[in-house]
Amino acid sequence: MDFIWQDLTHAPFWIAALQIIGVNIILSGDNAVVIAMACLSLPPRQRLWGMILGAGVAVLLRVVFTLVVAQAMTYPFLKLVGGALPLARAPKSSLR
């Protein structure tokens, strides 16, 4: 329990938490625009359900994808391969 208190008192923890919150707000805003555009032409009763289900599915998908990516990051050498891919695909003129 002491390690949690140590993390909460350090600035890097709060910086990382604010970065995650910021990305989440940006993604949520994007989802809200897409859901609103999709529900715009629906009748009022269906529009309400479209917004509720659209927001619910967006949250569910974000949780599922987060769990999948968190699991994938435990694979050996995945970060190394991911870091090397941009170098392998870069045009030869940009490497000079």
Side-chain angles (χ1 to χ4, degrees):
M1 191 65 162
D2 188 40
F3 64 91
I4 294 174
W5 182 250
Q6 289 176 355
D7 284 342
L8 290 176
T9 59
H10 286 81
F13 171 82
W14 290 107
I15 292 170
L18 288 174
Q19 288 175 339
I20 292 170
I21 290 169
V23 168
N24 193 22
I25 289 171
I26 291 169
L27 291 174
S28 297
D30 182 42
N31 286 344
V33 170
V34 171
I35 293 167
M37 288 174 52
C39 295
L40 190 61
S41 62
L42 294 174
R45 184 171 170 86
Q46 290 178 341
R47 188 178 306 151
L48 175 64
W49 279 107
M51 289 186 293
I52 291 170
L53 290 174
V57 169
V59 169
L60 180 67
L61 285 174
R62 187 169 298 141
V63 169
V64 169
F65 290 148
T66 300
L67 293 174
V68 168
V69 170
Q71 179 63 36
M73 294 305 285
T74 63
Y75 297 155
F77 303 112
L78 180 69
K79 294 176 188 176
L80 181 65
V81 171
L85 280 176
L87 295 175
R89 304 228 353 124
K92 294 186 186 339
S93 62
S94 67
L95 294 177
R96 292 181 189 176

